[in-house]
Amino acid sequence: DAGITQSPRHKVTETGTPVTLRCHQTENHRYMYWYRQDPGHGLRLIHYSYGVKDTDKGEVSDGYSVSRSKTEDFLLTLESATSSQTSVYFCAISEEQMNTEAFFGQGTRLTVV
Amino acid sequence: AQKVTQAQTEISVVEKEDVTLDCVYETRDTTYYLFWYKQPPSGELVFLIRRNSFDEQNEISGRYSWNFQKSTSSFNFTITASQVVDSAVYFCALSGFPYTGTASKLTFGTGTRLQVTL
């Protein structure tokens, strides 16, 4: 199994509070991604990183920011959580771009009340 | 823009039946990659297969087989002699060729939930 750890695995937070989700990898892969999974939408890309301090937006990036200060860590921050951000968040890594096999973390279930 | 359509939301079969999951895609890229992932009830995503657009040969892996038809933009997945352990949500996905704008993005379909009962 690829070494990807997401933390926390579950979180309940209140509307308007900041939340940070962490993705940690031990594979030294260059690319890291944050997806959200919602019923009826499949998985949608939020942000991705192609190296330390190199990030770009995905299709649903509004309300989210990311940071990657080390190869192994990719943080997703909700500056002010809203109920529409209640979702399951998946981190993924790949050695190259998304045309190679991607490995996904176990997911983080976030509930914003 | 890239798009993946999995029109079957849910499928229920009895064990030992064959089942085909449909996947239709749209892309402007002339070269691209197609994937299938499995999400069992435990929630993790498991990679099943990657196919590049150059290779239209069908692929078989045990009870699993994939039929790629570029002419109809389809990449269908068949499970032969289904088993209860095959119960999961299956996602089809698409990405672009290396070092193109779409290569950094894996576009997923909405998934097909397969329920296999005894």
Side-chain angles (χ1 to χ4, degrees):
Chain A
D1 288 348
I4 311 171
T5 304
Q6 289 185 232
S7 59
R9 294 291 314 279
H10 301 271
K11 186 170 182 66
V12 179
T13 191
E14 292 186 350
T15 299
T17 60
V19 177
T20 295
L21 308 183
R22 181 182 184 235
C23 178
H24 178 79
Q25 62 147 327
T26 57
E27 306 296 322
N28 202 36
H29 283 354
R30 181 180 172 196
Y31 286 82
M32 298 185 75
Y33 310 81
W34 277 106
Y35 282 84
R36 60 178 288 175
Q37 182 179 13
D38 304 290
H41 290 279
L43 282 85
R44 293 178 293 173
L45 181 65
I46 305 171
H47 282 280
Y48 69 97
S49 169
Y50 47 97
V52 173
K53 298 193 190 309
D54 293 322
T55 64
D56 206 349
K57 296 179 180 180
E59 61 182 307
V60 290
S61 59
D62 286 348
Y64 302 95
S65 62
V66 291
S67 66
R68 191 168 178 200
S69 58
K70 297 184 288 185
T71 298
E72 58 267 33
D73 290 326
F74 192 33
L75 304 181
L76 176 70
T77 297
L78 291 65
E79 300 291 346
S80 177
T82 67
S83 58
S84 65
Q85 293 175 312
T86 293
S87 186
V88 179
Y89 291 85
F90 284 95
C91 174
I93 63 173
S94 64
E95 200 164 3
E96 290 297 330
Q97 293 177 304
M98 266 294 187
N99 46 72
T100 59
E101 180 181 349
F103 299 95
F104 285 80
Q106 297 280 71
T108 295
R109 183 173 294 277
L110 176 68
T111 302
V112 183
V113 299
Chain B
Q2 297 187 121
K3 184 179 179 182
V4 176
T5 301
Q6 294 180 257
Q8 303 152 308
T9 306
E10 282 194 48
I11 301 175
S12 291
V13 298
V14 176
E15 204 176 39
K16 295 188 177 59
E17 283 185 18
D18 299 347
V19 58
T20 295
L21 310 182
D22 297 332
C23 173
V24 174
Y25 62 91
E26 296 174 30
T27 180
R28 293 184 189 146
D29 292 343
T30 54
T31 51
Y32 47 88
Y33 288 84
L34 294 160
F35 301 78
W36 277 93
Y37 282 85
K38 174 182 180 180
Q39 187 177 42
S42 50
E44 75 273 20
L45 280 146
V46 179
F47 169 85
L48 295 178
I49 189 172
R50 179 188 71 155
R51 172 54 52 87
N52 73 54
S53 56
F54 293 113
D55 183 3
E56 289 194 66
Q57 281 193 347
N58 290 335
E59 182 154 342
I60 298 174
S61 176
R63 295 184 298 106
Y64 294 171
S65 62
W66 291 269
N67 179 252
F68 175 35
Q69 293 199 347
K70 212 167 177 178
S71 59
T72 57
S73 298
S74 65
F75 187 44
N76 296 337
F77 173 31
T78 297
I79 303 174
T80 302
S82 59
Q83 300 176 2
V84 172
V85 293
D86 295 325
S87 296
V89 180
Y90 291 86
F91 291 98
C92 181
L94 166 71
S95 78
F97 205 68
Y99 309 109
T100 65
T102 51
S104 300
K105 177 180 174 180
L106 197 60
T107 300
F108 283 85
T110 51
T112 297
R113 181 178 299 277
L114 174 64
Q115 185 71 39
V116 183
T117 56
L118 293 171

